[in-house]
Amino acid sequence: MPEMIEVEAYRALAERAALDRPIATVEAPDAWYLKGGLTAEALSALIGSHFSSAHRRGKLLTLETAAPDGSAGPVLGLRFGMSGRLLVDGTPGVAELRYASNEPLERYDRFGVTFSDGGHLRVRDPRRLGGVQLDPSEGALGHDAAGITLGQLTGALAGSRAPLKARLMDQARVAGVGNLIADEVLWRASLSPERPAGSLTPTEVRRLHRHLRAALLEMTARGGSHTGDLMEQRRAGGVCPRDGEPLRRTTVGGRTTWFCPRHQR
DNA sequence: CCGGATGTTCACCT
DNA sequence: GAGGTGAACATCCG
């Protein structure tokens, strides 16, 4: 899925194109996609109101709603799983998504609203791993990776014996870092994904912090989570772009992990 | 045909 | 309690 870089693109799309348009109908053809006990009936409360702002925390997109008189309504929370896309008036938030069909198939539209002007906002998700919630609790999410401070990152890693990569991807600690971004950032920071998170020295955490922010900015500018320098070598026979060492493939935190055993320590 | 793929959650172990 | 593993979700791709 989209990692936080793609979700940020979805947020920007929603902010640019979906605000202040009265909601005429809510389309929830897939009950499975409604999370937290949400029902199509409860969603009808959105009819007549409009989206007033769009925010993102980690990989969670939240759309605030407001009634015609301006009073605040419920918050619509959207998660995109690994293959979910946001479309407004048929325009996707990102052009390409890997590991998902890029065919414009309406049959994969799991949720949407139509606006009174005839347009619509939809979540298209072939694999159906995303979901919709009303008033999602953000309490379970850690600091957003894009704005995390050195002190916050230090706190997120301190005292943990879990592998560094697993901790980085723990959304309750650092929100927004997924599998590809984690591998890219650790490769740039020359840190092994298998190191116990709490074993990093202050110098190493500083290095990680600097590379996390730089990698996010750079990959955002390039157009997505799949644009990292390590990406094309994440395959059998891949070698480290920095020193030519064959990359090692392991599983960390339940996810396929590629790293350079030579310079990532 | 089989195995994996930008994710999350849950049951079940150690 | 902290972590790890495997399964589940559904589809596409090599």
Side-chain angles (χ1 to χ4, degrees), chain A residues 21-83:
Chain A
R21 300 168 72 179
I23 295 167
T25 64
V26 177
E27 304 166 328
D30 184 356
W32 164 265
Y33 217 68
L34 306 182
K35 308 298 181 182
L38 181 59
T39 62
E41 162 134 58
L43 280 165
S44 64
L46 300 180
I47 293 173
S49 61
H50 58 271
F51 296 124
S52 51
S53 63
H55 302 276
R56 179 192 60 76
R57 176 131 168 215
K59 306 169 195 171
L60 173 69
L61 174 61
T62 54
L63 300 176
E64 257 101 81
T65 66
D69 67 4
S71 61
V75 175
L76 184 65
L78 303 178
R79 291 187 170 284
F80 299 91
M82 288 207 278
S83 62

Short mmCIF file of all heavy atoms in Angstrom, two decimals, chain A residues 21-83:
data_model
loop_
_atom_site.label_atom_id
_atom_site.label_comp_id
_atom_site.label_asym_id
_atom_site.label_seq_id
_atom_site.Cartn_x
_atom_site.Cartn_y
_atom_site.Cartn_z
N ARG A 21 -17.90 20.49 -0.41
CA ARG A 21 -18.91 20.03 -1.38
C ARG A 21 -19.96 19.21 -0.64
O ARG A 21 -19.62 18.17 -0.05
CB ARG A 21 -18.24 19.18 -2.46
CG ARG A 21 -17.16 19.95 -3.23
CD ARG A 21 -16.31 19.03 -4.09
NE ARG A 21 -17.04 18.52 -5.25
CZ ARG A 21 -16.49 17.70 -6.16
NH1 ARG A 21 -15.25 17.30 -6.02
NH2 ARG A 21 -17.19 17.28 -7.19
N PRO A 22 -21.20 19.64 -0.64
CA PRO A 22 -22.23 18.93 0.11
C PRO A 22 -22.34 17.45 -0.32
O PRO A 22 -22.31 17.14 -1.50
CB PRO A 22 -23.51 19.69 -0.26
CG PRO A 22 -23.03 21.07 -0.58
CD PRO A 22 -21.71 20.88 -1.26
N ILE A 23 -22.43 16.59 0.68
CA ILE A 23 -22.52 15.15 0.44
C ILE A 23 -23.97 14.77 0.19
O ILE A 23 -24.86 15.07 1.01
CB ILE A 23 -21.96 14.38 1.65
CG1 ILE A 23 -20.45 14.67 1.78
CG2 ILE A 23 -22.22 12.88 1.51
CD1 ILE A 23 -19.85 14.21 3.10
N ALA A 24 -24.22 14.13 -0.95
CA ALA A 24 -25.60 13.77 -1.31
C ALA A 24 -25.92 12.32 -0.93
O ALA A 24 -27.01 12.02 -0.44
CB ALA A 24 -25.81 13.97 -2.80
N THR A 25 -24.97 11.43 -1.17
CA THR A 25 -25.19 10.04 -0.82
C THR A 25 -23.89 9.41 -0.33
O THR A 25 -22.80 9.89 -0.63
CB THR A 25 -25.68 9.19 -2.03
OG1 THR A 25 -24.63 9.18 -3.03
CG2 THR A 25 -26.94 9.80 -2.65
N VAL A 26 -24.05 8.33 0.43
CA VAL A 26 -22.88 7.57 0.88
C VAL A 26 -23.01 6.17 0.28
O VAL A 26 -24.07 5.55 0.36
CB VAL A 26 -22.84 7.47 2.42
CG1 VAL A 26 -21.67 6.60 2.86
CG2 VAL A 26 -22.72 8.86 3.03
N GLU A 27 -21.93 5.71 -0.35
CA GLU A 27 -21.95 4.38 -0.98
C GLU A 27 -21.05 3.44 -0.19
O GLU A 27 -19.83 3.59 -0.19
CB GLU A 27 -21.44 4.48 -2.42
CG GLU A 27 -22.23 5.48 -3.27
CD GLU A 27 -21.52 5.80 -4.58
OE1 GLU A 27 -20.27 5.79 -4.60
OE2 GLU A 27 -22.23 6.05 -5.57
N ALA A 28 -21.67 2.48 0.46
CA ALA A 28 -20.91 1.50 1.24
C ALA A 28 -21.36 0.10 0.86
O ALA A 28 -22.07 -0.57 1.61
CB ALA A 28 -21.10 1.76 2.73
N PRO A 29 -20.94 -0.36 -0.32
CA PRO A 29 -21.41 -1.65 -0.83
C PRO A 29 -20.78 -2.85 -0.14
O PRO A 29 -21.24 -3.97 -0.30
CB PRO A 29 -20.98 -1.60 -2.30
CG PRO A 29 -19.75 -0.76 -2.29
CD PRO A 29 -19.99 0.30 -1.24
N ASP A 30 -19.74 -2.60 0.64
CA ASP A 30 -18.99 -3.70 1.23
C ASP A 30 -18.96 -3.54 2.75
O ASP A 30 -18.19 -2.75 3.29
CB ASP A 30 -17.57 -3.68 0.66
CG ASP A 30 -16.74 -4.85 1.14
OD1 ASP A 30 -17.23 -5.63 1.98
OD2 ASP A 30 -15.59 -4.98 0.67
N ALA A 31 -19.79 -4.29 3.43
CA ALA A 31 -19.88 -4.17 4.89
C ALA A 31 -18.56 -4.49 5.58
O ALA A 31 -18.24 -3.94 6.62
CB ALA A 31 -20.98 -5.08 5.42
N TRP A 32 -17.80 -5.37 4.97
CA TRP A 32 -16.49 -5.75 5.52
C TRP A 32 -15.58 -4.54 5.64
O TRP A 32 -14.72 -4.47 6.52
CB TRP A 32 -15.84 -6.80 4.62
CG TRP A 32 -14.38 -6.99 4.84
CD1 TRP A 32 -13.36 -6.39 4.16
CD2 TRP A 32 -13.77 -7.80 5.84
NE1 TRP A 32 -12.14 -6.78 4.65
CE2 TRP A 32 -12.36 -7.65 5.69
CE3 TRP A 32 -14.25 -8.64 6.85
CZ2 TRP A 32 -11.46 -8.32 6.52
CZ3 TRP A 32 -13.33 -9.30 7.65
CH2 TRP A 32 -11.96 -9.15 7.49
N TYR A 33 -15.76 -3.60 4.75
CA TYR A 33 -14.88 -2.44 4.69
C TYR A 33 -15.18 -1.43 5.81
O TYR A 33 -14.42 -0.52 6.05
CB TYR A 33 -15.01 -1.76 3.33
CG TYR A 33 -13.70 -1.22 2.81
CD1 TYR A 33 -12.67 -2.06 2.42
CD2 TYR A 33 -13.48 0.16 2.73
CE1 TYR A 33 -11.47 -1.58 1.97
CE2 TYR A 33 -12.28 0.66 2.27
CZ TYR A 33 -11.27 -0.21 1.88
OH TYR A 33 -10.08 0.29 1.44
N LEU A 34 -16.33 -1.60 6.44
CA LEU A 34 -16.71 -0.69 7.53
C LEU A 34 -16.17 -1.26 8.83
O LEU A 34 -16.51 -2.38 9.22
CB LEU A 34 -18.23 -0.54 7.57
CG LEU A 34 -18.87 -0.11 6.25
CD1 LEU A 34 -20.38 0.06 6.44
CD2 LEU A 34 -18.25 1.19 5.74
N LYS A 35 -15.35 -0.51 9.52
CA LYS A 35 -14.68 -1.00 10.72
C LYS A 35 -15.25 -0.37 11.99
O LYS A 35 -15.92 0.66 11.95
CB LYS A 35 -13.18 -0.71 10.64
CG LYS A 35 -12.51 -1.18 9.36
CD LYS A 35 -12.60 -2.68 9.18
CE LYS A 35 -11.90 -3.13 7.90
NZ LYS A 35 -12.02 -4.57 7.68
N GLY A 36 -14.93 -0.99 13.09
CA GLY A 36 -15.34 -0.45 14.38
C GLY A 36 -16.85 -0.42 14.58
O GLY A 36 -17.39 0.48 15.23
N GLY A 37 -17.53 -1.41 14.02
CA GLY A 37 -18.97 -1.47 14.21
C GLY A 37 -19.74 -0.47 13.38
O GLY A 37 -20.95 -0.29 13.57
N LEU A 38 -19.04 0.17 12.47
CA LEU A 38 -19.70 1.16 11.62
C LEU A 38 -20.72 0.50 10.69
O LEU A 38 -20.47 -0.57 10.16
CB LEU A 38 -18.63 1.89 10.79
CG LEU A 38 -19.10 3.00 9.85
CD1 LEU A 38 -19.82 4.08 10.63
CD2 LEU A 38 -17.92 3.60 9.10
N THR A 39 -21.85 1.17 10.53
CA THR A 39 -22.89 0.65 9.63
C THR A 39 -23.21 1.69 8.56
O THR A 39 -22.93 2.88 8.72
CB THR A 39 -24.19 0.36 10.39
OG1 THR A 39 -24.67 1.59 10.94
CG2 THR A 39 -23.96 -0.65 11.51
N ALA A 40 -23.80 1.20 7.47
CA ALA A 40 -24.20 2.10 6.39
C ALA A 40 -25.20 3.12 6.94
O ALA A 40 -25.21 4.28 6.54
CB ALA A 40 -24.81 1.31 5.24
N GLU A 41 -25.99 2.67 7.86
CA GLU A 41 -26.99 3.54 8.47
C GLU A 41 -26.34 4.71 9.21
O GLU A 41 -26.73 5.86 9.06
CB GLU A 41 -27.84 2.72 9.43
CG GLU A 41 -28.60 3.56 10.43
CD GLU A 41 -30.04 3.12 10.55
OE1 GLU A 41 -30.24 1.94 10.88
OE2 GLU A 41 -30.94 3.94 10.32
N ALA A 42 -25.31 4.39 10.00
CA ALA A 42 -24.61 5.44 10.74
C ALA A 42 -23.95 6.43 9.79
O ALA A 42 -23.87 7.63 10.06
CB ALA A 42 -23.57 4.83 11.68
N LEU A 43 -23.49 5.91 8.66
CA LEU A 43 -22.82 6.76 7.68
C LEU A 43 -23.78 7.76 7.04
O LEU A 43 -23.36 8.81 6.54
CB LEU A 43 -22.16 5.91 6.59
CG LEU A 43 -20.82 5.28 6.98
CD1 LEU A 43 -20.44 4.18 6.01
CD2 LEU A 43 -19.74 6.35 7.04
N SER A 44 -25.05 7.44 7.05
CA SER A 44 -26.01 8.36 6.43
C SER A 44 -26.07 9.68 7.18
O SER A 44 -26.61 10.67 6.68
CB SER A 44 -27.40 7.70 6.38
OG SER A 44 -27.89 7.47 7.68
N ALA A 45 -25.47 9.69 8.38
CA ALA A 45 -25.41 10.94 9.13
C ALA A 45 -24.57 11.98 8.40
O ALA A 45 -24.65 13.18 8.68
CB ALA A 45 -24.81 10.69 10.52
N LEU A 46 -23.75 11.52 7.45
CA LEU A 46 -22.89 12.46 6.72
C LEU A 46 -23.66 13.23 5.65
O LEU A 46 -23.20 14.28 5.18
CB LEU A 46 -21.74 11.69 6.04
CG LEU A 46 -20.80 10.91 6.95
CD1 LEU A 46 -19.73 10.20 6.12
CD2 LEU A 46 -20.14 11.84 7.97
N ILE A 47 -24.79 12.69 5.25
CA ILE A 47 -25.54 13.31 4.15
C ILE A 47 -25.98 14.73 4.52
O ILE A 47 -26.51 14.97 5.61
CB ILE A 47 -26.76 12.44 3.79
CG1 ILE A 47 -26.28 11.11 3.20
CG2 ILE A 47 -27.67 13.16 2.81
CD1 ILE A 47 -27.38 10.10 2.97
N GLY A 48 -25.68 15.63 3.61
CA GLY A 48 -26.04 17.03 3.84
C GLY A 48 -24.88 17.84 4.39
O GLY A 48 -24.84 19.05 4.24
N SER A 49 -23.92 17.16 5.02
CA SER A 49 -22.75 17.89 5.51
C SER A 49 -21.66 17.87 4.44
O SER A 49 -21.87 17.35 3.33
CB SER A 49 -22.25 17.28 6.82
OG SER A 49 -21.88 15.94 6.63
N HIS A 50 -20.51 18.42 4.77
CA HIS A 50 -19.42 18.46 3.79
C HIS A 50 -18.10 18.21 4.52
O HIS A 50 -18.03 18.33 5.74
CB HIS A 50 -19.38 19.84 3.10
CG HIS A 50 -19.21 20.97 4.08
ND1 HIS A 50 -20.30 21.60 4.67
CD2 HIS A 50 -18.11 21.57 4.59
CE1 HIS A 50 -19.85 22.55 5.49
NE2 HIS A 50 -18.53 22.55 5.46
N PHE A 51 -17.07 17.87 3.76
CA PHE A 51 -15.75 17.71 4.37
C PHE A 51 -15.18 19.10 4.58
O PHE A 51 -15.18 19.94 3.67
CB PHE A 51 -14.84 16.88 3.46
CG PHE A 51 -15.31 15.47 3.26
CD1 PHE A 51 -15.53 14.97 1.98
CD2 PHE A 51 -15.54 14.63 4.35
CE1 PHE A 51 -15.97 13.67 1.80
CE2 PHE A 51 -15.99 13.33 4.18
CZ PHE A 51 -16.20 12.84 2.89
N SER A 52 -14.69 19.34 5.78
CA SER A 52 -14.21 20.68 6.10
C SER A 52 -12.68 20.77 6.16
O SER A 52 -12.10 21.84 6.01
CB SER A 52 -14.80 21.14 7.44
OG SER A 52 -14.60 20.17 8.44
N SER A 53 -12.02 19.63 6.36
CA SER A 53 -10.56 19.64 6.35
C SER A 53 -10.05 18.21 6.20
O SER A 53 -10.78 17.26 6.46
CB SER A 53 -10.00 20.27 7.64
OG SER A 53 -10.36 19.50 8.76
N ALA A 54 -8.80 18.10 5.78
CA ALA A 54 -8.20 16.78 5.56
C ALA A 54 -6.87 16.70 6.30
O ALA A 54 -6.00 17.56 6.13
CB ALA A 54 -7.98 16.54 4.06
N HIS A 55 -6.72 15.68 7.14
CA HIS A 55 -5.50 15.51 7.91
C HIS A 55 -4.96 14.09 7.74
O HIS A 55 -5.68 13.20 7.33
CB HIS A 55 -5.76 15.80 9.39
CG HIS A 55 -6.30 17.16 9.64
ND1 HIS A 55 -5.48 18.27 9.75
CD2 HIS A 55 -7.56 17.61 9.75
CE1 HIS A 55 -6.24 19.34 9.94
NE2 HIS A 55 -7.50 18.97 9.95
N ARG A 56 -3.71 13.93 8.11
CA ARG A 56 -3.09 12.61 8.04
C ARG A 56 -2.23 12.38 9.27
O ARG A 56 -1.55 13.28 9.73
CB ARG A 56 -2.21 12.50 6.79
CG ARG A 56 -1.49 11.16 6.64
CD ARG A 56 -0.43 11.21 5.56
NE ARG A 56 0.60 12.22 5.85
CZ ARG A 56 1.57 12.05 6.75
NH1 ARG A 56 1.65 10.93 7.43
NH2 ARG A 56 2.46 13.00 6.98
N ARG A 57 -2.32 11.20 9.79
CA ARG A 57 -1.40 10.80 10.86
C ARG A 57 -0.90 9.42 10.50
O ARG A 57 -1.69 8.48 10.45
CB ARG A 57 -2.11 10.79 12.21
CG ARG A 57 -1.23 10.30 13.33
CD ARG A 57 -1.28 11.22 14.52
NE ARG A 57 -0.67 10.63 15.69
CZ ARG A 57 -1.09 10.83 16.92
NH1 ARG A 57 -2.15 11.59 17.14
NH2 ARG A 57 -0.48 10.30 17.95
N GLY A 58 0.35 9.29 10.22
CA GLY A 58 0.86 8.02 9.74
C GLY A 58 0.14 7.68 8.45
O GLY A 58 0.08 8.47 7.52
N LYS A 59 -0.43 6.49 8.41
CA LYS A 59 -1.12 6.05 7.19
C LYS A 59 -2.62 6.23 7.30
O LYS A 59 -3.38 5.70 6.48
CB LYS A 59 -0.78 4.58 6.93
CG LYS A 59 0.72 4.31 6.87
CD LYS A 59 1.02 2.83 6.88
CE LYS A 59 2.49 2.58 7.19
NZ LYS A 59 2.76 1.16 7.41
N LEU A 60 -3.06 6.94 8.33
CA LEU A 60 -4.49 7.19 8.51
C LEU A 60 -4.87 8.56 7.97
O LEU A 60 -4.29 9.58 8.35
CB LEU A 60 -4.84 7.11 10.00
CG LEU A 60 -6.27 7.50 10.40
CD1 LEU A 60 -7.27 6.47 9.90
CD2 LEU A 60 -6.39 7.65 11.91
N LEU A 61 -5.83 8.57 7.06
CA LEU A 61 -6.34 9.84 6.52
C LEU A 61 -7.65 10.16 7.22
O LEU A 61 -8.53 9.30 7.33
CB LEU A 61 -6.58 9.71 5.01
CG LEU A 61 -7.24 10.91 4.32
CD1 LEU A 61 -6.38 12.16 4.46
CD2 LEU A 61 -7.50 10.60 2.85
N THR A 62 -7.76 11.37 7.74
CA THR A 62 -9.00 11.75 8.39
C THR A 62 -9.62 12.96 7.69
O THR A 62 -8.92 13.91 7.35
CB THR A 62 -8.79 12.11 9.89
OG1 THR A 62 -7.77 13.10 10.00
CG2 THR A 62 -8.39 10.88 10.69
N LEU A 63 -10.90 12.85 7.45
CA LEU A 63 -11.64 13.94 6.82
C LEU A 63 -12.66 14.45 7.83
O LEU A 63 -13.58 13.71 8.22
CB LEU A 63 -12.34 13.44 5.56
CG LEU A 63 -11.42 12.87 4.46
CD1 LEU A 63 -12.25 12.31 3.31
CD2 LEU A 63 -10.46 13.93 3.96
N GLU A 64 -12.48 15.68 8.26
CA GLU A 64 -13.44 16.26 9.19
C GLU A 64 -14.70 16.66 8.42
O GLU A 64 -14.62 17.06 7.26
CB GLU A 64 -12.86 17.51 9.83
CG GLU A 64 -12.37 17.31 11.24
CD GLU A 64 -10.86 17.15 11.31
OE1 GLU A 64 -10.18 18.17 11.30
OE2 GLU A 64 -10.40 16.00 11.34
N THR A 65 -15.83 16.56 9.07
CA THR A 65 -17.07 16.98 8.41
C THR A 65 -17.71 18.11 9.20
O THR A 65 -17.43 18.31 10.39
CB THR A 65 -18.09 15.82 8.31
OG1 THR A 65 -18.54 15.46 9.62
CG2 THR A 65 -17.48 14.61 7.63
N ALA A 66 -18.53 18.86 8.51
CA ALA A 66 -19.26 19.95 9.15
C ALA A 66 -20.65 20.05 8.52
O ALA A 66 -20.82 19.77 7.33
CB ALA A 66 -18.51 21.28 8.98
N ALA A 67 -21.60 20.42 9.35
CA ALA A 67 -22.98 20.61 8.87
C ALA A 67 -23.06 21.93 8.12
O ALA A 67 -22.13 22.75 8.18
CB ALA A 67 -23.93 20.59 10.06
N PRO A 68 -24.14 22.14 7.39
CA PRO A 68 -24.29 23.40 6.64
C PRO A 68 -24.12 24.65 7.50
O PRO A 68 -23.60 25.67 7.04
CB PRO A 68 -25.72 23.30 6.09
CG PRO A 68 -25.95 21.83 5.94
CD PRO A 68 -25.26 21.22 7.12
N ASP A 69 -24.50 24.55 8.76
CA ASP A 69 -24.36 25.71 9.65
C ASP A 69 -22.94 25.84 10.20
O ASP A 69 -22.66 26.72 11.02
CB ASP A 69 -25.37 25.64 10.80
CG ASP A 69 -25.09 24.49 11.76
OD1 ASP A 69 -24.07 23.80 11.57
OD2 ASP A 69 -25.88 24.30 12.69
N GLY A 70 -22.08 24.94 9.78
CA GLY A 70 -20.68 25.04 10.22
C GLY A 70 -20.35 24.21 11.44
O GLY A 70 -19.17 24.07 11.78
N SER A 71 -21.35 23.67 12.09
CA SER A 71 -21.06 22.89 13.29
C SER A 71 -20.37 21.58 12.92
O SER A 71 -20.65 20.97 11.89
CB SER A 71 -22.36 22.59 14.05
OG SER A 71 -23.25 21.85 13.24
N ALA A 72 -19.44 21.18 13.78
CA ALA A 72 -18.62 19.99 13.50
C ALA A 72 -19.43 18.71 13.53
O ALA A 72 -20.29 18.52 14.40
CB ALA A 72 -17.47 19.92 14.50
N GLY A 73 -19.13 17.84 12.57
CA GLY A 73 -19.76 16.53 12.54
C GLY A 73 -18.72 15.47 12.81
O GLY A 73 -17.62 15.79 13.26
N PRO A 74 -19.05 14.22 12.52
CA PRO A 74 -18.09 13.14 12.76
C PRO A 74 -16.87 13.24 11.85
O PRO A 74 -16.89 13.93 10.83
CB PRO A 74 -18.90 11.88 12.46
CG PRO A 74 -20.05 12.32 11.64
CD PRO A 74 -20.34 13.73 12.04
N VAL A 75 -15.81 12.54 12.25
CA VAL A 75 -14.59 12.49 11.45
C VAL A 75 -14.56 11.16 10.71
O VAL A 75 -14.76 10.10 11.30
CB VAL A 75 -13.34 12.60 12.35
CG1 VAL A 75 -12.06 12.43 11.52
CG2 VAL A 75 -13.33 13.93 13.09
N LEU A 76 -14.34 11.24 9.39
CA LEU A 76 -14.27 10.04 8.58
C LEU A 76 -12.81 9.60 8.50
O LEU A 76 -11.94 10.35 8.06
CB LEU A 76 -14.81 10.34 7.19
CG LEU A 76 -14.91 9.16 6.21
CD1 LEU A 76 -15.93 8.14 6.70
CD2 LEU A 76 -15.29 9.67 4.82
N GLY A 77 -12.54 8.39 8.97
CA GLY A 77 -11.17 7.87 8.94
C GLY A 77 -11.01 6.85 7.83
O GLY A 77 -11.80 5.92 7.74
N LEU A 78 -10.00 7.03 6.98
CA LEU A 78 -9.78 6.12 5.86
C LEU A 78 -8.41 5.46 5.97
O LEU A 78 -7.40 6.13 6.15
CB LEU A 78 -9.86 6.87 4.53
CG LEU A 78 -11.15 7.65 4.23
CD1 LEU A 78 -11.04 8.37 2.89
CD2 LEU A 78 -12.36 6.72 4.23
N ARG A 79 -8.40 4.13 5.86
CA ARG A 79 -7.16 3.37 5.79
C ARG A 79 -7.13 2.68 4.45
O ARG A 79 -8.16 2.25 3.94
CB ARG A 79 -7.08 2.34 6.91
CG ARG A 79 -6.92 2.97 8.27
CD ARG A 79 -6.66 1.91 9.34
NE ARG A 79 -6.28 2.55 10.59
CZ ARG A 79 -5.08 3.06 10.81
NH1 ARG A 79 -4.14 2.96 9.87
NH2 ARG A 79 -4.81 3.64 11.95
N PHE A 80 -5.94 2.52 3.88
CA PHE A 80 -5.85 2.04 2.50
C PHE A 80 -5.20 0.67 2.33
O PHE A 80 -5.08 0.20 1.20
CB PHE A 80 -5.13 3.09 1.66
CG PHE A 80 -5.86 4.41 1.63
CD1 PHE A 80 -5.59 5.40 2.56
CD2 PHE A 80 -6.86 4.62 0.71
CE1 PHE A 80 -6.29 6.60 2.55
CE2 PHE A 80 -7.57 5.82 0.68
CZ PHE A 80 -7.29 6.81 1.61
N GLY A 81 -4.82 0.06 3.43
CA GLY A 81 -4.22 -1.26 3.30
C GLY A 81 -3.05 -1.23 2.34
O GLY A 81 -2.29 -0.27 2.31
N MET A 82 -2.87 -2.28 1.56
CA MET A 82 -1.73 -2.31 0.64
C MET A 82 -2.11 -1.93 -0.78
O MET A 82 -1.25 -1.67 -1.61
CB MET A 82 -1.08 -3.69 0.63
CG MET A 82 -0.33 -3.98 1.91
SD MET A 82 1.02 -5.14 1.68
CE MET A 82 0.19 -6.68 1.73
N SER A 83 -3.37 -1.90 -1.08
CA SER A 83 -3.74 -1.66 -2.48
C SER A 83 -4.81 -0.59 -2.64
O SER A 83 -5.41 -0.46 -3.70
CB SER A 83 -4.22 -2.97 -3.12
OG SER A 83 -5.38 -3.46 -2.46
#
